[in-house]
Amino acid sequence: MKRTTPLRAAIGALLLTVGLGAAAANAAPLPEPAPRPSASAGLLDAMRQDLGLTAAQAEERLRAEKAAAAVETAARQRAGAAYGGAWFDPAAGRLVVAVTDRAEEAEVRALGADTRLVRHSAAALGRAKARLDGLRAPAGVAGWHVDPKSNSVVVDVVRDQRQSPAVRAFVDRARVDGLVTVAETAGAPRTYAAGTVGGDPYYTGNVRCSIGFSVHGGFVTAGHCGRAGAAVRGWDGSAMGTFQGSSFPGDDYAYVSIHSGWWTVPVVLGWGTVPDQLVRGSAEAPVGASICRSGSTTRWHCGTVLAKNQTVNYSQGAVYQMTKTSVCAEGGDSGGSFLSGDQAQGVTSGGWGNCSSGGETWFQPVNEILARYGLRLHTA
């Protein structure tokens, strides 16, 4: 970024602090150091407010979720064709892995996960979802995703449009292979771009969006915020960069290169609600994990991961492979950062509702964006 805020200066000072020398050999032994907190006090406070956790519970949950993310990768490989998906169980503090073959349960449990025997593999559910991706959905269908807990493909329909002929016809077509269930949602998804207003955003044309994550040479954000070649202005209105690549609908991601006078930092703004957050990687959090979002309109809010690989049916067209969360958002938050602990997760795409009455929000996973444009995440 072009400016230095007190919060960023504090983080810079923290990164530059060096340890003191060792104690003299004849000095009294020092007590064992307290375990390093898994997150800042501000982040723990935000989780307390939005998730109803104490600081100790939030810290323990972050540690458990970090372990679960590692177990999920190993469990997917160990279960092979029998893998049926996975999710984090907050009550138990453990990952649950669905398997279609009882013979695989013991090996998956040995990795530190609980197991559930299911009928359909993740691959079969993925094929069923891919078939739906080839259908044209009416406006009353909000989207669809693979749900490992129900071992089905869940089609979300807008509650007050469920009985419309077009929605009923889509649901009937979706159910032909027996792998689909239907759920209701309160609102239809929309993107979160906004007209030009104040804050710490970026601007393209008369649209305001939010920066996602710094990469070496620029930042990633939402594709619906601008097309390739579009000029970008920074928070102060000065020339900032250019959209080098953008995709929407189908995907919702973009890469903006920055000009001289701007630089990238591995930081997500906390907006005074929490301290600015350092980004240390992009390990993917499992379904059920806690997650927080930063955006230039509603700033900092937290929730949980509800689903992965969801197709979202916007009015502009379907967007695939999105992650659904219980975090709220509003216009202007588009492109902003989703974090789980200190791990980058994705950039805000859209949702329904707001941060007064509540809602749900989807993000485009960041690792897909990095791979698409050959980018390297800027990490601390």
Side-chain angles (χ1 to χ4, degrees), residues 47 51 61-73 76 83 85-90 94-96 146 148 213 281-292 303-309 321-325 327 338-346 363-368:
M47 293 178 68
L51 297 176
R61 178 159 173 173
L62 287 172
R63 281 192 287 265
E65 289 172 352
K66 185 175 183 179
V71 171
E72 182 178 14
T73 300
R76 183 189 297 269
Y83 181 74
W87 62 94
F88 180 75
D89 180 359
R94 291 165 62 87
L95 188 74
V96 182
V146 171
F213 294 97
S282 58
E284 187 177 328
V287 170
S290 62
I291 196 163
C292 297
T304 57
V305 178
L306 299 178
K308 295 184 181 182
N309 192 20
Q321 296 179 325
M322 303 284 273
T323 298
K324 181 181 181 180
T325 78
V327 188
F338 267 92
L339 281 170
S340 183
D342 58 9
Q343 299 296 302
Q345 299 298 308
F363 67 79
Q364 175 81 62
V366 70
N367 287 331
E368 182 182 354

Side-chain angles (χ1 to χ4, degrees), residues 33-82:
R36 178 184 174 185
S38 57
S40 70
L43 175 57
L44 297 177
D45 189 58
M47 293 178 68
R48 176 195 61 76
Q49 177 178 317
D50 289 340
L51 297 176
L53 303 174
T54 67
Q57 288 171 334
E59 216 171 326
E60 177 56 34
R61 178 159 173 173
L62 287 172
R63 281 192 287 265
E65 289 172 352
K66 185 175 183 179
V71 171
E72 182 178 14
T73 300
R76 183 189 297 269
Q77 295 174 343
R78 185 69 58 87

Side-chain angles (χ1 to χ4, degrees), residues 258-324:
I258 56 173
H259 297 157
S260 176
W262 295 84
W263 60 90
T264 63
V265 289
V267 169
V268 170
L269 292 176
W271 297 101
T273 303
V274 300
D276 290 5
Q277 302 294 302
L278 292 175
V279 178
R280 301 188 184 277
S282 58
E284 187 177 328
V287 170
S290 62
I291 196 163
C292 297
R293 179 193 56 73
S294 178
S296 63
T297 298
T298 57
R299 306 206 168 178
W300 189 268
H301 287 276
C302 298
T304 57
V305 178
L306 299 178
K308 295 184 181 182
N309 192 20
Q310 174 150 11
T311 298
V312 181
N313 189 35
Y314 292 126
S315 61
Q316 301 94 327
V319 177
Y320 308 103
Q321 296 179 325
M322 303 284 273
T323 298
K324 181 181 181 180

